[in-house]
């Protein structure tokens, strides 16, 4: 009976009709399999790891610190391990519990730009491991991490940010492990909604190589996450109010020059309002050494309202001047015709209407201020939306 049982078990093993439990123990408990060794460690070619990145959510972009953003991803890796091949007529894949991952070799991939990270553990550690009959291993895990991203704010708030995400091998060089993106949908972003940014549909993925001197070259994958800032909030809260404040300062050009309290109050009010709005717009930004688009806009708007106040100061000084006697050549000729010799000290008077001159300055300002501000708007929007898209200036 014992001999019959042994022969039956050997026959079942040859036919591949073992149970799933028996297949797992045969593959992983065999002394020939070592989870510490890469699949092709003894060969002359590396183990190719196919990587797919599923971005479930992007929590925030911290523009105040200009350093990081949080992301929730599912990292999927697929490779072939010939040591894990098995034959079975009905079983094509083995689904293993996350506790079994320690008994299977997995790649040592990591994110170099990661600052903080954790694997989700509710209700259990979010890991998945499938072994197919041809030796293909599918390994997936859900990770929440904070990645560093050096933001460029030269065009703020009309900017586009690019945050690179790299995946590298930590201990195995390219002689043992090589990475490549999955053939179909290497990076997926199903539905990510950000309050201030939108993401384009096209995502750029590429290969990269990292060199660490004598240590060797390591496999590397790169994906660039591009974010385009939504300008609706800034147009409604910054640009339109500042334009209206500048236009309000032009009202003083239509107020009579004798209405000194009204024009002074209007000029001072617009200057203080513009200063307050400029401070509020920059309070949520880091102190950087370069000039941002919002700085240019606020500086020019403040300059316009300040020049409108200076224009009133100028015409007020001009209009309060008294008529001055001046000597003219025509009046000197009339004096000679009358037969009198004009004394060098005799004044020849010509009254100048300084108030009329002041009103003329107001008329010129009514045209020049709106015209110059309109030309500035054209240059500002064309430069930051079309020319300086790469933050070169």
């Amino acid at each position: 009976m014992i001999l019959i049982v042994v022969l039956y078990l050997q026959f079942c093993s040859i036919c591949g009709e073992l149970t799933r439990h028996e297949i797992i123990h045969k593959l992983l408990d065999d002394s020939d399999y070592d989870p510490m060794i890469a699949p092709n460690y003894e060969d002359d070619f590396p183990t190719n790891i196919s990587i797919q990145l599923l971005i479930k959510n992007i929590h925030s972009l911290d523009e105040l610190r200009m350093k990081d953003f949080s992301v929730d991803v599912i990292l999927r890796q697929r490779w072939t391990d010939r040591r894990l091949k098995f034959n079975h007529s009905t079983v094509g894949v083995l689904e293993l519990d996350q506790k079994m991952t320690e008994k299977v070799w997995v790649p040592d991939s990591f994110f170099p730009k990661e600052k903080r990270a954790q694997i989700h553990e509710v209700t259990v550690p979010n890991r998945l491991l499938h072994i197919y009959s041809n030796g293909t291993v599918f390994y997936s895990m859900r990770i929440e991490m904070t990645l560093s991203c050096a933001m460029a704010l030269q065009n703020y708030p009309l900017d586009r940010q690019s945050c690179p995400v790299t995946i590298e091998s930590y201990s195995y060089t390219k002689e043992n492990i090589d990475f490549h993106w999955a053939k179909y949908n290497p990076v997926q972003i199903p539905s990510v909604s950000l309050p201030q940014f939108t993401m384009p549909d096209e995502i750029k993925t590429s290969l990269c190589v990292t060199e660490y001197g004598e240590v060797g070259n390591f496999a590397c994958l790169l994906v660039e996450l591009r974010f385009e800032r939504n300008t609706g909030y800034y147009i409604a809260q910054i640009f339109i109010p500042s334009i209206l404040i500048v236009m309000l300062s032009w009202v003083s050009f239509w107020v009579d020059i004798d209405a000194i309290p009204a024009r002074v109050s209007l000029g001072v009010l617009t200057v203080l309002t513009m200063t307050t709005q400029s401070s509020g717009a920059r309070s949520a930004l880091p102190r950087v050494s370069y000039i941002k688009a919002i700085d240019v806009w606020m500086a020019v708007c403040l300059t316009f309202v300040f020049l409108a106040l200076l224009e009133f100061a100028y015409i007020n000084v001009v209009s309060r001047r008294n008529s001055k006697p001046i000597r003219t050549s025509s009046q000197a000729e009339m004096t000679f015709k009358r037969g009198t010799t004009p004394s060098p000290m005799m004044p020849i008077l010509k009254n100048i209407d300084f108030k009329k001159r002041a009103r003329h300055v107001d008329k010129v300002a009514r045209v020049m201020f709106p015209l110059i501000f309109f030309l500035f708007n054209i240059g500002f929007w064309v430069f930051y939306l079309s020319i300086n898209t790469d933050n070169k200036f």
Side-chain angles (χ1 to χ4, degrees), residues 311-339:
E311 188 270 348
F312 167 69
Y314 170 75
I315 65 171
N316 183 54
V317 172
V318 171
S319 63
R320 295 175 63 181
R321 294 175 61 184
N322 296 323
S323 297
K324 292 184 178 180
I326 63 174
R327 188 186 301 274
T328 62
S329 58
S330 59
Q331 290 179 339
E333 291 177 0
M334 292 295 295
T335 304
F336 282 115
K337 289 181 181 180
R338 293 175 182 175

PDB file of all heavy atoms in Angstrom, residues 311-339:
ATOM      1  N   GLU A 311       0.764 113.324 -11.136  1.00  0.00           N
ATOM      2  CA  GLU A 311       0.251 114.228 -12.185  1.00  0.00           C
ATOM      3  C   GLU A 311      -0.604 115.328 -11.577  1.00  0.00           C
ATOM      4  O   GLU A 311      -0.509 116.497 -11.972  1.00  0.00           O
ATOM      5  CB  GLU A 311      -0.547 113.409 -13.198  1.00  0.00           C
ATOM      6  CG  GLU A 311      -0.965 114.181 -14.435  1.00  0.00           C
ATOM      7  CD  GLU A 311      -2.321 114.866 -14.276  1.00  0.00           C
ATOM      8  OE1 GLU A 311      -3.019 114.551 -13.286  1.00  0.00           O
ATOM      9  OE2 GLU A 311      -2.680 115.704 -15.137  1.00  0.00           O
ATOM     10  N   PHE A 312      -1.421 114.953 -10.599  1.00  0.00           N
ATOM     11  CA  PHE A 312      -2.227 115.995  -9.939  1.00  0.00           C
ATOM     12  C   PHE A 312      -1.341 116.957  -9.159  1.00  0.00           C
ATOM     13  O   PHE A 312      -1.577 118.171  -9.145  1.00  0.00           O
ATOM     14  CB  PHE A 312      -3.257 115.357  -9.009  1.00  0.00           C
ATOM     15  CG  PHE A 312      -3.886 116.366  -8.090  1.00  0.00           C
ATOM     16  CD1 PHE A 312      -4.745 117.339  -8.592  1.00  0.00           C
ATOM     17  CD2 PHE A 312      -3.586 116.370  -6.726  1.00  0.00           C
ATOM     18  CE1 PHE A 312      -5.310 118.283  -7.745  1.00  0.00           C
ATOM     19  CE2 PHE A 312      -4.150 117.317  -5.893  1.00  0.00           C
ATOM     20  CZ  PHE A 312      -5.017 118.268  -6.399  1.00  0.00           C
ATOM     21  N   ALA A 313      -0.311 116.444  -8.486  1.00  0.00           N
ATOM     22  CA  ALA A 313       0.593 117.337  -7.755  1.00  0.00           C
ATOM     23  C   ALA A 313       1.257 118.329  -8.697  1.00  0.00           C
ATOM     24  O   ALA A 313       1.422 119.517  -8.365  1.00  0.00           O
ATOM     25  CB  ALA A 313       1.645 116.508  -7.015  1.00  0.00           C
ATOM     26  N   TYR A 314       1.612 117.866  -9.884  1.00  0.00           N
ATOM     27  CA  TYR A 314       2.259 118.753 -10.857  1.00  0.00           C
ATOM     28  C   TYR A 314       1.308 119.849 -11.336  1.00  0.00           C
ATOM     29  O   TYR A 314       1.660 121.041 -11.327  1.00  0.00           O
ATOM     30  CB  TYR A 314       2.775 117.930 -12.025  1.00  0.00           C
ATOM     31  CG  TYR A 314       3.247 118.764 -13.191  1.00  0.00           C
ATOM     32  CD1 TYR A 314       4.464 119.441 -13.146  1.00  0.00           C
ATOM     33  CD2 TYR A 314       2.454 118.898 -14.337  1.00  0.00           C
ATOM     34  CE1 TYR A 314       4.889 120.224 -14.206  1.00  0.00           C
ATOM     35  CE2 TYR A 314       2.866 119.671 -15.405  1.00  0.00           C
ATOM     36  CZ  TYR A 314       4.084 120.336 -15.335  1.00  0.00           C
ATOM     37  OH  TYR A 314       4.497 121.115 -16.387  1.00  0.00           O
ATOM     38  N   ILE A 315       0.110 119.465 -11.755  1.00  0.00           N
ATOM     39  CA  ILE A 315      -0.817 120.479 -12.292  1.00  0.00           C
ATOM     40  C   ILE A 315      -1.311 121.398 -11.183  1.00  0.00           C
ATOM     41  O   ILE A 315      -1.661 122.566 -11.446  1.00  0.00           O
ATOM     42  CB  ILE A 315      -2.009 119.824 -13.009  1.00  0.00           C
ATOM     43  CG1 ILE A 315      -2.858 119.029 -12.012  1.00  0.00           C
ATOM     44  CG2 ILE A 315      -1.550 118.932 -14.140  1.00  0.00           C
ATOM     45  CD1 ILE A 315      -4.168 118.543 -12.619  1.00  0.00           C
ATOM     46  N   ASN A 316      -1.337 120.930  -9.945  1.00  0.00           N
ATOM     47  CA  ASN A 316      -1.744 121.810  -8.849  1.00  0.00           C
ATOM     48  C   ASN A 316      -0.705 122.898  -8.631  1.00  0.00           C
ATOM     49  O   ASN A 316      -1.042 124.068  -8.389  1.00  0.00           O
ATOM     50  CB  ASN A 316      -1.925 120.979  -7.584  1.00  0.00           C
ATOM     51  CG  ASN A 316      -2.429 121.820  -6.421  1.00  0.00           C
ATOM     52  OD1 ASN A 316      -3.445 122.502  -6.528  1.00  0.00           O
ATOM     53  ND2 ASN A 316      -1.719 121.771  -5.303  1.00  0.00           N
ATOM     54  N   VAL A 317       0.569 122.519  -8.725  1.00  0.00           N
ATOM     55  CA  VAL A 317       1.632 123.515  -8.590  1.00  0.00           C
ATOM     56  C   VAL A 317       1.591 124.503  -9.751  1.00  0.00           C
ATOM     57  O   VAL A 317       1.740 125.716  -9.575  1.00  0.00           O
ATOM     58  CB  VAL A 317       3.004 122.821  -8.508  1.00  0.00           C
ATOM     59  CG1 VAL A 317       4.141 123.840  -8.574  1.00  0.00           C
ATOM     60  CG2 VAL A 317       3.105 122.000  -7.234  1.00  0.00           C
ATOM     61  N   VAL A 318       1.351 123.988 -10.964  1.00  0.00           N
ATOM     62  CA  VAL A 318       1.316 124.862 -12.142  1.00  0.00           C
ATOM     63  C   VAL A 318       0.134 125.808 -12.083  1.00  0.00           C
ATOM     64  O   VAL A 318       0.254 127.011 -12.379  1.00  0.00           O
ATOM     65  CB  VAL A 318       1.267 124.005 -13.422  1.00  0.00           C
ATOM     66  CG1 VAL A 318       1.017 124.887 -14.651  1.00  0.00           C
ATOM     67  CG2 VAL A 318       2.560 123.232 -13.582  1.00  0.00           C
ATOM     68  N   SER A 319      -1.034 125.335 -11.697  1.00  0.00           N
ATOM     69  CA  SER A 319      -2.237 126.173 -11.695  1.00  0.00           C
ATOM     70  C   SER A 319      -2.193 127.257 -10.626  1.00  0.00           C
ATOM     71  O   SER A 319      -2.881 128.278 -10.760  1.00  0.00           O
ATOM     72  CB  SER A 319      -3.471 125.303 -11.482  1.00  0.00           C
ATOM     73  OG  SER A 319      -3.428 124.674 -10.204  1.00  0.00           O
ATOM     74  N   ARG A 320      -1.420 127.094  -9.584  1.00  0.00           N
ATOM     75  CA  ARG A 320      -1.358 128.082  -8.508  1.00  0.00           C
ATOM     76  C   ARG A 320      -0.284 129.134  -8.742  1.00  0.00           C
ATOM     77  O   ARG A 320      -0.103 130.028  -7.912  1.00  0.00           O
ATOM     78  CB  ARG A 320      -1.084 127.360  -7.184  1.00  0.00           C
ATOM     79  CG  ARG A 320      -2.224 126.438  -6.783  1.00  0.00           C
ATOM     80  CD  ARG A 320      -1.903 125.638  -5.558  1.00  0.00           C
ATOM     81  NE  ARG A 320      -1.699 126.491  -4.393  1.00  0.00           N
ATOM     82  CZ  ARG A 320      -1.383 126.051  -3.164  1.00  0.00           C
ATOM     83  NH1 ARG A 320      -1.221 124.749  -2.977  1.00  0.00           N
ATOM     84  NH2 ARG A 320      -1.219 126.882  -2.161  1.00  0.00           N
ATOM     85  N   ARG A 321       0.420 129.047  -9.827  1.00  0.00           N
ATOM     86  CA  ARG A 321       1.420 130.067 -10.139  1.00  0.00           C
ATOM     87  C   ARG A 321       0.734 131.342 -10.594  1.00  0.00           C
ATOM     88  O   ARG A 321      -0.283 131.326 -11.284  1.00  0.00           O
ATOM     89  CB  ARG A 321       2.367 129.566 -11.226  1.00  0.00           C
ATOM     90  CG  ARG A 321       3.234 128.397 -10.784  1.00  0.00           C
ATOM     91  CD  ARG A 321       4.060 127.866 -11.933  1.00  0.00           C
ATOM     92  NE  ARG A 321       4.978 128.887 -12.456  1.00  0.00           N
ATOM     93  CZ  ARG A 321       5.756 128.710 -13.518  1.00  0.00           C
ATOM     94  NH1 ARG A 321       5.708 127.552 -14.174  1.00  0.00           N
ATOM     95  NH2 ARG A 321       6.562 129.673 -13.910  1.00  0.00           N
ATOM     96  N   ASN A 322       1.289 132.520 -10.216  1.00  0.00           N
ATOM     97  CA  ASN A 322       0.753 133.813 -10.653  1.00  0.00           C
ATOM     98  C   ASN A 322       1.292 134.158 -12.024  1.00  0.00           C
ATOM     99  O   ASN A 322       2.306 133.638 -12.480  1.00  0.00           O
ATOM    100  CB  ASN A 322       1.151 134.914  -9.658  1.00  0.00           C
ATOM    101  CG  ASN A 322       0.527 134.673  -8.283  1.00  0.00           C
ATOM    102  OD1 ASN A 322      -0.619 134.200  -8.209  1.00  0.00           O
ATOM    103  ND2 ASN A 322       1.273 134.988  -7.233  1.00  0.00           N
ATOM    104  N   SER A 323       0.621 135.131 -12.700  1.00  0.00           N
ATOM    105  CA  SER A 323       1.073 135.584 -14.010  1.00  0.00           C
ATOM    106  C   SER A 323       2.383 136.333 -13.861  1.00  0.00           C
ATOM    107  O   SER A 323       2.525 137.204 -12.999  1.00  0.00           O
ATOM    108  CB  SER A 323       0.016 136.500 -14.645  1.00  0.00           C
ATOM    109  OG  SER A 323      -1.172 135.766 -14.844  1.00  0.00           O
ATOM    110  N   LYS A 324       3.338 136.026 -14.700  1.00  0.00           N
ATOM    111  CA  LYS A 324       4.651 136.640 -14.627  1.00  0.00           C
ATOM    112  C   LYS A 324       4.866 137.548 -15.832  1.00  0.00           C
ATOM    113  O   LYS A 324       4.523 137.188 -16.958  1.00  0.00           O
ATOM    114  CB  LYS A 324       5.738 135.575 -14.593  1.00  0.00           C
ATOM    115  CG  LYS A 324       5.726 134.760 -13.306  1.00  0.00           C
ATOM    116  CD  LYS A 324       6.889 133.783 -13.292  1.00  0.00           C
ATOM    117  CE  LYS A 324       6.898 133.013 -11.989  1.00  0.00           C
ATOM    118  NZ  LYS A 324       8.035 132.057 -11.948  1.00  0.00           N
ATOM    119  N   PRO A 325       5.421 138.745 -15.591  1.00  0.00           N
ATOM    120  CA  PRO A 325       5.722 139.631 -16.722  1.00  0.00           C
ATOM    121  C   PRO A 325       6.934 139.125 -17.490  1.00  0.00           C
ATOM    122  O   PRO A 325       7.956 138.789 -16.899  1.00  0.00           O
ATOM    123  CB  PRO A 325       6.020 140.965 -16.052  1.00  0.00           C
ATOM    124  CG  PRO A 325       6.519 140.587 -14.697  1.00  0.00           C
ATOM    125  CD  PRO A 325       5.785 139.352 -14.301  1.00  0.00           C
ATOM    126  N   ILE A 326       6.793 139.046 -18.782  1.00  0.00           N
ATOM    127  CA  ILE A 326       7.917 138.647 -19.611  1.00  0.00           C
ATOM    128  C   ILE A 326       8.050 139.629 -20.761  1.00  0.00           C
ATOM    129  O   ILE A 326       7.091 140.300 -21.142  1.00  0.00           O
ATOM    130  CB  ILE A 326       7.718 137.218 -20.150  1.00  0.00           C
ATOM    131  CG1 ILE A 326       6.476 137.171 -21.046  1.00  0.00           C
ATOM    132  CG2 ILE A 326       7.583 136.207 -19.033  1.00  0.00           C
ATOM    133  CD1 ILE A 326       6.299 135.845 -21.719  1.00  0.00           C
ATOM    134  N   ARG A 327       9.235 139.766 -21.283  1.00  0.00           N
ATOM    135  CA  ARG A 327       9.512 140.683 -22.387  1.00  0.00           C
ATOM    136  C   ARG A 327       9.427 139.924 -23.701  1.00  0.00           C
ATOM    137  O   ARG A 327      10.012 138.857 -23.840  1.00  0.00           O
ATOM    138  CB  ARG A 327      10.906 141.287 -22.213  1.00  0.00           C
ATOM    139  CG  ARG A 327      11.221 142.399 -23.210  1.00  0.00           C
ATOM    140  CD  ARG A 327      12.657 142.820 -23.036  1.00  0.00           C
ATOM    141  NE  ARG A 327      12.901 143.291 -21.688  1.00  0.00           N
ATOM    142  CZ  ARG A 327      12.691 144.555 -21.305  1.00  0.00           C
ATOM    143  NH1 ARG A 327      12.254 145.451 -22.161  1.00  0.00           N
ATOM    144  NH2 ARG A 327      12.961 144.924 -20.064  1.00  0.00           N
ATOM    145  N   THR A 328       8.652 140.466 -24.661  1.00  0.00           N
ATOM    146  CA  THR A 328       8.505 139.837 -25.964  1.00  0.00           C
ATOM    147  C   THR A 328       9.031 140.773 -27.031  1.00  0.00           C
ATOM    148  O   THR A 328       9.040 142.007 -26.883  1.00  0.00           O
ATOM    149  CB  THR A 328       7.034 139.511 -26.248  1.00  0.00           C
ATOM    150  OG1 THR A 328       6.280 140.715 -26.270  1.00  0.00           O
ATOM    151  CG2 THR A 328       6.468 138.572 -25.174  1.00  0.00           C
ATOM    152  N   SER A 329       9.451 140.223 -28.159  1.00  0.00           N
ATOM    153  CA  SER A 329      10.004 141.032 -29.253  1.00  0.00           C
ATOM    154  C   SER A 329       8.942 141.890 -29.910  1.00  0.00           C
ATOM    155  O   SER A 329       9.208 143.025 -30.325  1.00  0.00           O
ATOM    156  CB  SER A 329      10.651 140.112 -30.286  1.00  0.00           C
ATOM    157  OG  SER A 329       9.685 139.183 -30.779  1.00  0.00           O
ATOM    158  N   SER A 330       7.722 141.435 -30.029  1.00  0.00           N
ATOM    159  CA  SER A 330       6.656 142.207 -30.673  1.00  0.00           C
ATOM    160  C   SER A 330       6.328 143.452 -29.880  1.00  0.00           C
ATOM    161  O   SER A 330       6.114 144.543 -30.437  1.00  0.00           O
ATOM    162  CB  SER A 330       5.414 141.354 -30.832  1.00  0.00           C
ATOM    163  OG  SER A 330       4.962 140.903 -29.560  1.00  0.00           O
ATOM    164  N   GLN A 331       6.289 143.307 -28.537  1.00  0.00           N
ATOM    165  CA  GLN A 331       6.008 144.474 -27.715  1.00  0.00           C
ATOM    166  C   GLN A 331       7.167 145.463 -27.764  1.00  0.00           C
ATOM    167  O   GLN A 331       6.975 146.668 -27.661  1.00  0.00           O
ATOM    168  CB  GLN A 331       5.730 144.035 -26.280  1.00  0.00           C
ATOM    169  CG  GLN A 331       4.388 143.296 -26.147  1.00  0.00           C
ATOM    170  CD  GLN A 331       4.129 142.850 -24.739  1.00  0.00           C
ATOM    171  OE1 GLN A 331       5.078 142.741 -23.948  1.00  0.00           O
ATOM    172  NE2 GLN A 331       2.863 142.598 -24.415  1.00  0.00           N
ATOM    173  N   ALA A 332       8.382 145.000 -27.932  1.00  0.00           N
ATOM    174  CA  ALA A 332       9.526 145.925 -28.046  1.00  0.00           C
ATOM    175  C   ALA A 332       9.437 146.738 -29.334  1.00  0.00           C
ATOM    176  O   ALA A 332       9.750 147.932 -29.363  1.00  0.00           O
ATOM    177  CB  ALA A 332      10.830 145.150 -27.995  1.00  0.00           C
ATOM    178  N   GLU A 333       8.990 146.122 -30.441  1.00  0.00           N
ATOM    179  CA  GLU A 333       8.844 146.847 -31.705  1.00  0.00           C
ATOM    180  C   GLU A 333       7.762 147.915 -31.595  1.00  0.00           C
ATOM    181  O   GLU A 333       7.904 149.017 -32.139  1.00  0.00           O
ATOM    182  CB  GLU A 333       8.499 145.859 -32.814  1.00  0.00           C
ATOM    183  CG  GLU A 333       9.640 144.920 -33.159  1.00  0.00           C
ATOM    184  CD  GLU A 333       9.237 143.904 -34.215  1.00  0.00           C
ATOM    185  OE1 GLU A 333       8.069 143.949 -34.670  1.00  0.00           O
ATOM    186  OE2 GLU A 333      10.077 143.064 -34.569  1.00  0.00           O
ATOM    187  N   MET A 334       6.662 147.622 -30.896  1.00  0.00           N
ATOM    188  CA  MET A 334       5.610 148.621 -30.717  1.00  0.00           C
ATOM    189  C   MET A 334       6.139 149.812 -29.927  1.00  0.00           C
ATOM    190  O   MET A 334       5.778 150.968 -30.186  1.00  0.00           O
ATOM    191  CB  MET A 334       4.423 147.984 -29.980  1.00  0.00           C
ATOM    192  CG  MET A 334       3.683 146.930 -30.808  1.00  0.00           C
ATOM    193  SD  MET A 334       2.876 147.641 -32.261  1.00  0.00           S
ATOM    194  CE  MET A 334       1.669 148.692 -31.459  1.00  0.00           C
ATOM    195  N   THR A 335       6.993 149.557 -29.011  1.00  0.00           N
ATOM    196  CA  THR A 335       7.556 150.644 -28.205  1.00  0.00           C
ATOM    197  C   THR A 335       8.432 151.552 -29.064  1.00  0.00           C
ATOM    198  O   THR A 335       8.392 152.786 -28.954  1.00  0.00           O
ATOM    199  CB  THR A 335       8.370 150.069 -27.042  1.00  0.00           C
ATOM    200  OG1 THR A 335       7.539 149.184 -26.277  1.00  0.00           O
ATOM    201  CG2 THR A 335       8.899 151.175 -26.141  1.00  0.00           C
ATOM    202  N   PHE A 336       9.206 150.979 -29.960  1.00  0.00           N
ATOM    203  CA  PHE A 336      10.043 151.784 -30.855  1.00  0.00           C
ATOM    204  C   PHE A 336       9.205 152.618 -31.802  1.00  0.00           C
ATOM    205  O   PHE A 336       9.540 153.742 -32.134  1.00  0.00           O
ATOM    206  CB  PHE A 336      10.995 150.878 -31.631  1.00  0.00           C
ATOM    207  CG  PHE A 336      12.176 150.437 -30.819  1.00  0.00           C
ATOM    208  CD1 PHE A 336      12.342 149.096 -30.498  1.00  0.00           C
ATOM    209  CD2 PHE A 336      13.130 151.359 -30.389  1.00  0.00           C
ATOM    210  CE1 PHE A 336      13.421 148.681 -29.767  1.00  0.00           C
ATOM    211  CE2 PHE A 336      14.226 150.939 -29.657  1.00  0.00           C
ATOM    212  CZ  PHE A 336      14.365 149.585 -29.336  1.00  0.00           C
ATOM    213  N   LYS A 337       8.073 152.089 -32.317  1.00  0.00           N
ATOM    214  CA  LYS A 337       7.219 152.833 -33.248  1.00  0.00           C
ATOM    215  C   LYS A 337       6.585 154.044 -32.576  1.00  0.00           C
ATOM    216  O   LYS A 337       6.305 155.038 -33.213  1.00  0.00           O
ATOM    217  CB  LYS A 337       6.138 151.915 -33.799  1.00  0.00           C
ATOM    218  CG  LYS A 337       6.683 150.877 -34.760  1.00  0.00           C
ATOM    219  CD  LYS A 337       5.569 149.998 -35.290  1.00  0.00           C
ATOM    220  CE  LYS A 337       6.106 148.941 -36.249  1.00  0.00           C
ATOM    221  NZ  LYS A 337       5.032 148.066 -36.770  1.00  0.00           N
ATOM    222  N   ARG A 338       6.338 153.936 -31.279  1.00  0.00           N
ATOM    223  CA  ARG A 338       5.743 155.048 -30.559  1.00  0.00           C
ATOM    224  C   ARG A 338       6.769 156.144 -30.239  1.00  0.00           C
ATOM    225  O   ARG A 338       6.439 157.190 -29.702  1.00  0.00           O
ATOM    226  CB  ARG A 338       5.111 154.551 -29.255  1.00  0.00           C
ATOM    227  CG  ARG A 338       3.906 153.641 -29.503  1.00  0.00           C
ATOM    228  CD  ARG A 338       3.407 153.084 -28.186  1.00  0.00           C
ATOM    229  NE  ARG A 338       2.281 152.165 -28.399  1.00  0.00           N
ATOM    230  CZ  ARG A 338       1.718 151.462 -27.436  1.00  0.00           C
ATOM    231  NH1 ARG A 338       2.219 151.531 -26.189  1.00  0.00           N
ATOM    232  NH2 ARG A 338       0.708 150.659 -27.701  1.00  0.00           N
ATOM    233  N   GLY A 339       8.013 155.912 -30.542  1.00  0.00           N
ATOM    234  CA  GLY A 339       9.047 156.911 -30.334  1.00  0.00           C
ATOM    235  C   GLY A 339       9.618 156.941 -28.953  1.00  0.00           C
ATOM    236  O   GLY A 339      10.258 157.921 -28.571  1.00  0.00           O
TER     237      GLY A 339
END
